[in-house]
Amino acid sequence: MKRSSYWYVRLLTGHEARPLFVGLVTGVALLLIFIIWVALIDWLGGDVHFSDSLWGLEVFLIAIASYAIGVTVHTLEMTPRDVLALAPALALDEKSLAREAVTITEQSSAIHIWTLCWILTMIILTWWASQMAIDDNALARELFQPTIAGWQYFRNLIYGFALSQLIWIDIALARRLGKLLEEHGRVNLLDRSGLQALAKRTRRSVLVWIPLLVHSIVFIVVVLAVVIFPATGIRRRYIEEKSRQLEKVRVRIADRSAAVVDGSSTSESSNLPELVSWELRLQQARVWPYDMSVYLRVFLYAGIGLSSWVGAAFVERFIGVFFG
């Protein structure tokens, strides 16, 4: 794979390690940094208090950041393969297809602005949270205790950075796939077998976002983006081709019908039933490149995250009302 000019993509793709291994190593490294950070503060005489809840929260946030990094590696590795798998659906020669696969993961310079905005947002939110009145929340007091104030900024920056890069890269690659299909896609209203690789990629993208959906339902916006963006371009081509073919067949039907009404029926007008049947088949042709089952799976997967979020809120409310 050709290395992208963006340093983060170069870092994640400049090795042969598997995404799972990258995620695990990242998680272990962050956890070790946290333990060493706390140990140093304690050694220097700081008064640090940690409950099981705080340890669990720290491990959870580290796990989310590590997962996001592992998924980003997986997405960067699989997208060029997805392009090659779409060869039957693309009107490109072998050399052009290989070039598209090599350059698909390159990122625009706008990612720097996106990253800077996320970093500044995380810094501001961390500072704001540390200034809030948290005397009535024991976990919050531990989380923002002054003796480890630097750790919150470090952890939140890593967490926000990893998520921001995954969101940008996943959506950017989805858009580039959509543009590639719009410009070079083969349009066949009755045969979508060449687009099976696109449907497979969509299901895979939704699956890897499920843990993040459970963490925050806000990510449903990203899921919808990675589902819709690859399909919009080729869908537009399907709509245009469907309209063109319907217009053409309806003109022929009108000519044949007029010949029958006028009594000047010929051998050509005898195929009127076939033309009508063809028009009906064209009308029933779908313009989305995915089968409906893909959409059902998408909303099912998204619903898992939503139901977990709503269910957790309901249980918390139930316990609060009935058990004080």
Side-chain angles (χ1 to χ4, degrees):
M1 180 190 301
K2 180 181 177 180
R3 292 189 175 186
S4 170
S5 58
Y6 183 50
W7 69 269
Y8 186 66
V9 174
R10 292 200 308 271
L11 177 66
L12 296 186
T13 58
H15 53 77
E16 300 298 327
R18 294 182 176 274
L20 178 60
F21 178 77
V22 174
L24 288 175
V25 169
T26 302
V28 171
L30 290 174
L31 188 58
L32 286 176
I33 292 173
F34 174 61
I35 294 173
I36 293 172
W37 196 303
V38 173
L40 282 174
I41 293 175
D42 185 64
W43 180 69
L44 293 172
D47 187 17
V48 183
H49 301 282
F50 284 98
S51 64
D52 293 340
S53 298
L54 182 58
W55 273 104
L57 179 60
E58 292 291 351
V59 171
F60 174 75
L61 293 175
I62 288 174
I64 291 293
S66 304
Y67 178 80
I69 293 173
V71 170
T72 305
V73 175
H74 181 260
T75 301
L76 290 169
E77 285 186 356
M78 294 302 298
T79 301
R81 301 177 190 177
D82 294 332
V83 173
L84 296 176
L86 284 170
L90 295 170
L92 291 172
D93 56 49
E94 186 175 346
K95 184 177 179 180
S96 299
L97 182 66
R99 183 172 60 250
E100 292 291 344
V102 166
T103 60
I104 189 74
T105 57
E106 299 239 350
Q107 301 298 314
S108 70
S109 58
I111 193 173
H112 299 291
I113 300 176
W114 167 263
T115 303
L116 180 61
C117 290
W118 268 79
I119 290 175
L120 292 176
T121 300
M122 295 307 298
I123 292 175
I124 292 172
L125 288 177
T126 303
W127 174 84
W128 176 73
S130 65
Q131 302 301 311
M132 293 177 62
I134 54 177
D135 295 337
D136 58 339
N137 191 318
L139 180 59
R141 287 199 305 272
E142 288 183 272
L143 193 61
F144 293 101
Q145 51 189 302
T147 52
I148 57 169
W151 168 255
Q152 288 84 358
Y153 286 94
F154 176 78
R155 176 241 294 143
N156 290 347
L157 284 176
I158 296 296
Y159 171 81
F161 177 81
L163 285 177
S164 70
Q165 302 306 287
L166 173 59
I167 292 171
W168 177 279
I169 290 173
D170 210 1
I171 292 178
L173 294 181
R175 292 184 63 186
R176 294 195 68 177
L177 274 176
K179 184 177 180 181
L180 181 65
L181 285 167
E182 181 178 12
E183 295 177 353
H184 304 289
R186 302 179 189 272
V187 178
N188 187 332
L189 293 173
L190 303 180
D191 183 10
R192 288 176 171 76
S193 58
L195 293 171
Q196 289 179 355
L198 185 63
K200 183 178 179 181
R201 172 190 167 79
T202 301
R203 291 193 294 268
R204 187 178 69 239
S205 297
V206 174
L207 281 171
V208 299
W209 274 97
I210 287 179
L212 297 175
L213 280 173
V214 174
H215 172 48
S216 175
I217 195 60
V218 173
F219 294 126
I220 188 64
V221 177
V222 183
V223 174
L224 293 175
V226 299
V227 170
I228 294 173
F229 283 162
T232 51
I234 194 67
R235 176 181 179 271
R236 191 177 300 113
R237 295 276 308 280
Y238 272 101
I239 291 174
E240 293 172 354
E241 180 64 15
K242 182 177 179 178
S243 299
R244 188 188 67 80
Q245 290 197 29
L246 278 173
E247 182 180 359
K248 185 176 179 180
V249 76
R250 283 167 180 168
V251 168
R252 295 182 64 185
I253 289 174
D255 293 340
R256 301 300 186 273
S257 299
V260 172
V261 172
D262 294 341
S264 55
S265 179
T266 63
S267 58
E268 292 184 358
S269 61
S270 62
N271 66 349
L272 183 59
E274 287 80 3
L275 290 174
V276 173
S277 176
W278 179 245
E279 179 191 26
L280 180 61
R281 192 172 182 186
L282 286 174
Q283 288 175 334
Q284 295 173 342
R286 296 186 300 270
V287 294
W288 281 99
Y290 305 132
D291 291 333
M292 186 56 67
S293 59
V294 175
Y295 286 104
L296 294 176
R297 289 189 183 97
V298 167
F299 290 109
L300 174 62
Y301 297 155
I304 293 174
L306 177 61
S307 61
S308 300
W309 179 69
V310 174
F314 175 78
V315 171
E316 183 178 352
R317 178 64 176 170
F318 178 82
I319 293 175
V321 171
F322 289 95
F323 297 99

